[in-house]
Amino acid sequence: MVFVSNVAEPRQDGEMPANVTANKSVSANEQASAHPASAHPAAESAADMVVNTLREWYVLASDSIASLLDGRFLQQPARDLWLLGKHYDLSLEQTESTTGYPQHVIDDFSHLIWCTYRSHYAPIAQSQFTTDAGWGCMLRAGQTLMAQALQLHVLGRDWTFSWTSSDPEHTKRRQLYTRVVSEFFDDYDPRSTFSIQRMAALGQQFEGKDIGEWFGPYGTARILRGLAQQASHDVTVYTTTDGVVYLADICAEFRPTLILVASMLGIDRVNPVYYAFIQASLMLPQSAGIAGGRPSSALYFAGVQGDELLYLDPHTTRPAVTRTNNNEYLQSDLASYSCPTPRRIAMSRLDPCMVFGYYCATLESLIDLRSRIELLADDGVTAIVSFDNGHAPESAIPESHGSGPVGSESIKSEARADDGRVSTPVLLTKLPNDSDNDDASCNSTSRPKSESGEIVLEGECSDEEWVTDL
């Protein structure tokens, strides 16, 4: 078992992943001339550096002790790794000595947008909080999940660019990347759609929580949906707490959609019956990751290696990045949104309350997701997600509808013919021109059941079961 600690502050070199940068030896003057309007983030305080370092050692020690107690310390990690639906066969790769992974795996992991605690931002309205350290970890895990979905939306799964190249394609990708990251800046700018300020404010409205109170996975999912709706975002956020995805609420006027499924998969720990689905979920091409954590500590899960999950930890405090007028940034300005050190945690140590994220760019992708999940159920995997052709029940509309302003009624069921005429109701059964592909249909309605026929979902996930720490 390999344990790696980035005690010396992740990304203090100011570099982005190797396959994002064409020339890492570019001087600061050259970077400044390329983007003269960029503003560097404030320097990290000595107090934050001490806290971050101590927590790095604590996490390393606790993971090592847990591995030793589980009898896993001397075991070799599995050779098959999946990262947001992408497979790596590590038995065929030469690993990098300090991380235990090949460089291209590190590069791919570094592409993940890492949202962490921030400090030195303007006080959140109606409070004096200038940092979310100690209370915002689940909000940051939710931001990280949302960020991966937006990155998939604008850049796709595999992408690269150079921070210094003037090539039009590189410039376009660089602008798209910075646009996504800046949606999570910690300010009230209209472009900061998912800022901690907006999330905390909506938490007051939705959950009745004061600024500085802890949030759970379901509340965070609901906040993300509300912010996307308020901003009329390109990506619709659909949430459900009972594991059922109601297709009529998504398919009537389909738009790129992030499906968030909040589930409670046990009492104190995840019931092992769900391990296979958690693993399979991160192997799906639609996976945007999982927001969950260990008990009393939120994490974002992006990959799976055997019975361990690869994660990003939001419990590192970084200075807030100052937005520039032209939204142009240096590589070093956004370095703190990237982490080059994958960490792993055994599924036996997970908190049972979590949010699964699936990004569907097209209707075909949604049908493919349904087909894949139903095939898992056919193979005996206890799936916590199922699909229903109808609308969410009236009582579930505040939690489960995916369109319209916050608090509005669910969208009506209607389908448009090729000439623009409306026909109703909609019943998504096949893709256009896909009459021979019955497996891609959305006809069936299923719920995960045990061999005795009973529904096995442990329960709906509520924020009352979630308490966070530093």
mmCIF file of all heavy atoms in Angstrom, residues 79 81 88-97 99-109 305 340 342:
data_model
loop_
_atom_site.group_PDB
_atom_site.id
_atom_site.type_symbol
_atom_site.label_atom_id
_atom_site.label_comp_id
_atom_site.label_asym_id
_atom_site.label_seq_id
_atom_site.Cartn_x
_atom_site.Cartn_y
_atom_site.Cartn_z
ATOM 1 N N ARG A 79 -4.312 -2.882 -9.780
ATOM 2 C CA ARG A 79 -3.650 -2.367 -10.988
ATOM 3 C C ARG A 79 -4.609 -1.708 -11.958
ATOM 4 O O ARG A 79 -4.182 -1.050 -12.910
ATOM 5 C CB ARG A 79 -2.902 -3.504 -11.700
ATOM 6 C CG ARG A 79 -1.939 -4.285 -10.827
ATOM 7 C CD ARG A 79 -1.038 -3.373 -10.008
ATOM 8 N NE ARG A 79 -0.153 -2.558 -10.845
ATOM 9 C CZ ARG A 79 0.578 -1.547 -10.404
ATOM 10 N NH1 ARG A 79 0.493 -1.194 -9.129
ATOM 11 N NH2 ARG A 79 1.359 -0.880 -11.214
ATOM 12 N N LEU A 81 -7.310 1.144 -12.550
ATOM 13 C CA LEU A 81 -7.748 2.423 -11.998
ATOM 14 C C LEU A 81 -8.733 3.066 -12.959
ATOM 15 O O LEU A 81 -8.504 3.079 -14.178
ATOM 16 C CB LEU A 81 -6.548 3.340 -11.753
ATOM 17 C CG LEU A 81 -6.807 4.712 -11.124
ATOM 18 C CD1 LEU A 81 -5.597 5.137 -10.303
ATOM 19 C CD2 LEU A 81 -7.102 5.793 -12.167
ATOM 20 N N TYR A 88 -7.367 3.044 -16.643
ATOM 21 C CA TYR A 88 -5.914 2.949 -16.737
ATOM 22 C C TYR A 88 -5.489 1.580 -16.227
ATOM 23 O O TYR A 88 -5.885 1.173 -15.127
ATOM 24 C CB TYR A 88 -5.231 4.030 -15.894
ATOM 25 C CG TYR A 88 -5.463 5.444 -16.385
ATOM 26 C CD1 TYR A 88 -6.470 6.227 -15.832
ATOM 27 C CD2 TYR A 88 -4.677 5.985 -17.395
ATOM 28 C CE1 TYR A 88 -6.675 7.520 -16.270
ATOM 29 C CE2 TYR A 88 -4.873 7.277 -17.845
ATOM 30 C CZ TYR A 88 -5.878 8.040 -17.276
ATOM 31 O OH TYR A 88 -6.086 9.312 -17.730
ATOM 32 N N ASP A 89 -4.682 0.873 -16.999
ATOM 33 C CA ASP A 89 -4.098 -0.400 -16.584
ATOM 34 C C ASP A 89 -2.704 -0.103 -16.050
ATOM 35 O O ASP A 89 -1.748 0.065 -16.811
ATOM 36 C CB ASP A 89 -4.044 -1.375 -17.749
ATOM 37 C CG ASP A 89 -3.553 -2.757 -17.335
ATOM 38 O OD1 ASP A 89 -3.108 -2.901 -16.169
ATOM 39 O OD2 ASP A 89 -3.595 -3.682 -18.159
ATOM 40 N N LEU A 90 -2.578 -0.029 -14.724
ATOM 41 C CA LEU A 90 -1.318 0.376 -14.120
ATOM 42 C C LEU A 90 -0.251 -0.699 -14.219
ATOM 43 O O LEU A 90 0.936 -0.423 -14.002
ATOM 44 C CB LEU A 90 -1.541 0.746 -12.653
ATOM 45 C CG LEU A 90 -2.554 1.869 -12.407
ATOM 46 C CD1 LEU A 90 -2.612 2.210 -10.926
ATOM 47 C CD2 LEU A 90 -2.216 3.106 -13.224
ATOM 48 N N SER A 91 -0.649 -1.942 -14.528
ATOM 49 C CA SER A 91 0.351 -3.005 -14.661
ATOM 50 C C SER A 91 1.223 -2.797 -15.891
ATOM 51 O O SER A 91 2.308 -3.362 -15.992
ATOM 52 C CB SER A 91 -0.337 -4.369 -14.746
ATOM 53 O OG SER A 91 -1.142 -4.453 -15.920
ATOM 54 N N LEU A 92 0.747 -1.984 -16.815
ATOM 55 C CA LEU A 92 1.485 -1.739 -18.051
ATOM 56 C C LEU A 92 2.243 -0.425 -18.019
ATOM 57 O O LEU A 92 2.887 -0.051 -18.995
ATOM 58 C CB LEU A 92 0.513 -1.716 -19.246
ATOM 59 C CG LEU A 92 -0.362 -2.959 -19.428
ATOM 60 C CD1 LEU A 92 -1.332 -2.738 -20.585
ATOM 61 C CD2 LEU A 92 0.490 -4.195 -19.652
ATOM 62 N N GLU A 93 2.175 0.280 -16.894
ATOM 63 C CA GLU A 93 2.727 1.624 -16.833
ATOM 64 C C GLU A 93 3.908 1.691 -15.868
ATOM 65 O O GLU A 93 3.984 0.941 -14.897
ATOM 66 C CB GLU A 93 1.644 2.618 -16.371
ATOM 67 C CG GLU A 93 0.357 2.564 -17.173
ATOM 68 C CD GLU A 93 0.503 3.165 -18.545
ATOM 69 O OE1 GLU A 93 1.547 3.779 -18.805
ATOM 70 O OE2 GLU A 93 -0.421 3.014 -19.356
ATOM 71 N N GLN A 94 4.807 2.614 -16.146
ATOM 72 C CA GLN A 94 5.895 2.904 -15.231
ATOM 73 C C GLN A 94 5.455 4.017 -14.303
ATOM 74 O O GLN A 94 5.058 5.093 -14.738
ATOM 75 C CB GLN A 94 7.156 3.320 -16.002
ATOM 76 C CG GLN A 94 8.356 3.594 -15.096
ATOM 77 C CD GLN A 94 9.600 3.920 -15.892
ATOM 78 O OE1 GLN A 94 9.571 3.935 -17.121
ATOM 79 N NE2 GLN A 94 10.697 4.182 -15.187
ATOM 80 N N THR A 95 5.495 3.747 -12.998
ATOM 81 C CA THR A 95 4.975 4.719 -12.040
ATOM 82 C C THR A 95 5.999 5.792 -11.736
ATOM 83 O O THR A 95 7.211 5.603 -11.870
ATOM 84 C CB THR A 95 4.568 4.024 -10.729
ATOM 85 O OG1 THR A 95 5.726 3.403 -10.160
ATOM 86 C CG2 THR A 95 3.504 2.980 -10.990
ATOM 87 N N GLU A 96 5.494 6.941 -11.302
ATOM 88 C CA GLU A 96 6.335 8.050 -10.867
ATOM 89 C C GLU A 96 6.611 7.846 -9.382
ATOM 90 O O GLU A 96 5.697 7.604 -8.595
ATOM 91 C CB GLU A 96 5.597 9.370 -11.119
ATOM 92 C CG GLU A 96 6.498 10.588 -11.186
ATOM 93 C CD GLU A 96 6.729 11.160 -9.802
ATOM 94 O OE1 GLU A 96 5.774 11.185 -9.026
ATOM 95 O OE2 GLU A 96 7.865 11.542 -9.509
ATOM 96 N N SER A 97 7.861 7.927 -8.974
ATOM 97 C CA SER A 97 8.289 7.437 -7.666
ATOM 98 C C SER A 97 7.594 8.119 -6.494
ATOM 99 O O SER A 97 7.284 7.474 -5.498
ATOM 100 C CB SER A 97 9.807 7.592 -7.524
ATOM 101 O OG SER A 97 10.184 8.953 -7.661
ATOM 102 N N THR A 99 4.588 9.543 -6.274
ATOM 103 C CA THR A 99 3.136 9.422 -6.186
ATOM 104 C C THR A 99 2.641 7.995 -6.325
ATOM 105 O O THR A 99 1.528 7.685 -5.899
ATOM 106 C CB THR A 99 2.449 10.265 -7.274
ATOM 107 O OG1 THR A 99 2.778 9.732 -8.563
ATOM 108 C CG2 THR A 99 2.887 11.728 -7.198
ATOM 109 N N GLY A 100 3.431 7.132 -6.939
ATOM 110 C CA GLY A 100 2.986 5.771 -7.180
ATOM 111 C C GLY A 100 2.127 5.622 -8.415
ATOM 112 O O GLY A 100 1.542 4.563 -8.639
ATOM 113 N N TYR A 101 2.036 6.659 -9.234
ATOM 114 C CA TYR A 101 1.216 6.629 -10.450
ATOM 115 C C TYR A 101 2.024 7.100 -11.649
ATOM 116 O O TYR A 101 2.931 7.932 -11.521
ATOM 117 C CB TYR A 101 -0.005 7.530 -10.292
ATOM 118 C CG TYR A 101 -1.006 7.029 -9.283
ATOM 119 C CD1 TYR A 101 -1.044 7.561 -8.002
ATOM 120 C CD2 TYR A 101 -1.902 6.016 -9.599
ATOM 121 C CE1 TYR A 101 -1.947 7.098 -7.056
ATOM 122 C CE2 TYR A 101 -2.811 5.542 -8.667
ATOM 123 C CZ TYR A 101 -2.835 6.088 -7.397
ATOM 124 O OH TYR A 101 -3.728 5.624 -6.471
ATOM 125 N N PRO A 102 1.692 6.610 -12.852
ATOM 126 C CA PRO A 102 2.333 7.122 -14.073
ATOM 127 C C PRO A 102 2.036 8.613 -14.250
ATOM 128 O O PRO A 102 1.013 9.118 -13.783
ATOM 129 C CB PRO A 102 1.701 6.290 -15.187
ATOM 130 C CG PRO A 102 1.110 5.102 -14.511
ATOM 131 C CD PRO A 102 0.715 5.541 -13.142
ATOM 132 N N GLN A 103 2.917 9.291 -14.966
ATOM 133 C CA GLN A 103 2.773 10.738 -15.112
ATOM 134 C C GLN A 103 1.471 11.123 -15.798
ATOM 135 O O GLN A 103 0.838 12.110 -15.437
ATOM 136 C CB GLN A 103 3.965 11.309 -15.898
ATOM 137 C CG GLN A 103 3.960 12.837 -15.983
ATOM 138 C CD GLN A 103 3.960 13.509 -14.627
ATOM 139 O OE1 GLN A 103 4.768 13.174 -13.761
ATOM 140 N NE2 GLN A 103 3.046 14.457 -14.409
ATOM 141 N N HIS A 104 1.031 10.349 -16.799
ATOM 142 C CA HIS A 104 -0.185 10.749 -17.492
ATOM 143 C C HIS A 104 -1.428 10.566 -16.612
ATOM 144 O O HIS A 104 -2.435 11.241 -16.808
ATOM 145 C CB HIS A 104 -0.343 10.017 -18.830
ATOM 146 C CG HIS A 104 -0.555 8.545 -18.703
ATOM 147 N ND1 HIS A 104 0.471 7.653 -18.548
ATOM 148 C CD2 HIS A 104 -1.686 7.794 -18.704
ATOM 149 C CE1 HIS A 104 -0.002 6.428 -18.473
ATOM 150 N NE2 HIS A 104 -1.311 6.477 -18.559
ATOM 151 N N VAL A 105 -1.351 9.674 -15.608
ATOM 152 C CA VAL A 105 -2.441 9.570 -14.647
ATOM 153 C C VAL A 105 -2.446 10.801 -13.740
ATOM 154 O O VAL A 105 -3.500 11.376 -13.446
ATOM 155 C CB VAL A 105 -2.325 8.282 -13.811
ATOM 156 C CG1 VAL A 105 -3.368 8.250 -12.697
ATOM 157 C CG2 VAL A 105 -2.476 7.052 -14.709
ATOM 158 N N ILE A 106 -1.256 11.217 -13.310
ATOM 159 C CA ILE A 106 -1.142 12.439 -12.503
ATOM 160 C C ILE A 106 -1.654 13.640 -13.293
ATOM 161 O O ILE A 106 -2.363 14.509 -12.761
ATOM 162 C CB ILE A 106 0.322 12.669 -12.088
ATOM 163 C CG1 ILE A 106 0.820 11.509 -11.225
ATOM 164 C CG2 ILE A 106 0.462 13.988 -11.334
ATOM 165 C CD1 ILE A 106 0.046 11.303 -9.953
ATOM 166 N N ASP A 107 -1.304 13.700 -14.580
ATOM 167 C CA ASP A 107 -1.776 14.808 -15.414
ATOM 168 C C ASP A 107 -3.298 14.829 -15.490
ATOM 169 O O ASP A 107 -3.924 15.888 -15.377
ATOM 170 C CB ASP A 107 -1.187 14.691 -16.828
ATOM 171 C CG ASP A 107 0.321 14.880 -16.844
ATOM 172 O OD1 ASP A 107 0.859 15.463 -15.879
ATOM 173 O OD2 ASP A 107 0.960 14.427 -17.818
ATOM 174 N N ASP A 108 -3.894 13.646 -15.669
ATOM 175 C CA ASP A 108 -5.351 13.576 -15.760
ATOM 176 C C ASP A 108 -5.986 13.974 -14.431
ATOM 177 O O ASP A 108 -6.960 14.730 -14.391
ATOM 178 C CB ASP A 108 -5.770 12.157 -16.160
ATOM 179 C CG ASP A 108 -7.225 12.080 -16.596
ATOM 180 O OD1 ASP A 108 -7.826 13.130 -16.900
ATOM 181 O OD2 ASP A 108 -7.773 10.966 -16.640
ATOM 182 N N PHE A 109 -5.441 13.470 -13.332
ATOM 183 C CA PHE A 109 -5.961 13.835 -12.016
ATOM 184 C C PHE A 109 -5.821 15.335 -11.764
ATOM 185 O O PHE A 109 -6.706 15.968 -11.174
ATOM 186 C CB PHE A 109 -5.221 13.046 -10.930
ATOM 187 C CG PHE A 109 -5.793 13.212 -9.548
ATOM 188 C CD1 PHE A 109 -6.890 12.461 -9.144
ATOM 189 C CD2 PHE A 109 -5.241 14.118 -8.660
ATOM 190 C CE1 PHE A 109 -7.424 12.612 -7.872
ATOM 191 C CE2 PHE A 109 -5.755 14.278 -7.386
ATOM 192 C CZ PHE A 109 -6.869 13.532 -6.989
ATOM 193 N N GLN A 305 -9.925 2.500 -7.375
ATOM 194 C CA GLN A 305 -8.806 1.584 -7.589
ATOM 195 C C GLN A 305 -9.003 0.430 -6.627
ATOM 196 O O GLN A 305 -8.731 0.538 -5.424
ATOM 197 C CB GLN A 305 -7.477 2.292 -7.336
ATOM 198 C CG GLN A 305 -6.249 1.469 -7.678
ATOM 199 C CD GLN A 305 -4.962 2.253 -7.504
ATOM 200 O OE1 GLN A 305 -4.975 3.420 -7.113
ATOM 201 N NE2 GLN A 305 -3.841 1.624 -7.789
ATOM 202 N N PRO A 340 -1.976 17.739 -7.668
ATOM 203 C CA PRO A 340 -1.257 16.692 -8.397
ATOM 204 C C PRO A 340 -1.072 15.398 -7.621
ATOM 205 O O PRO A 340 -0.382 14.496 -8.092
ATOM 206 C CB PRO A 340 0.109 17.350 -8.634
ATOM 207 C CG PRO A 340 0.321 18.139 -7.376
ATOM 208 C CD PRO A 340 -1.045 18.621 -6.933
ATOM 209 N N PRO A 342 -2.903 12.273 -6.010
ATOM 210 C CA PRO A 342 -4.067 11.439 -5.704
ATOM 211 C C PRO A 342 -3.935 10.800 -4.328
ATOM 212 O O PRO A 342 -2.864 10.333 -3.953
ATOM 213 C CB PRO A 342 -4.054 10.378 -6.813
ATOM 214 C CG PRO A 342 -3.173 10.935 -7.890
ATOM 215 C CD PRO A 342 -2.160 11.777 -7.181
#
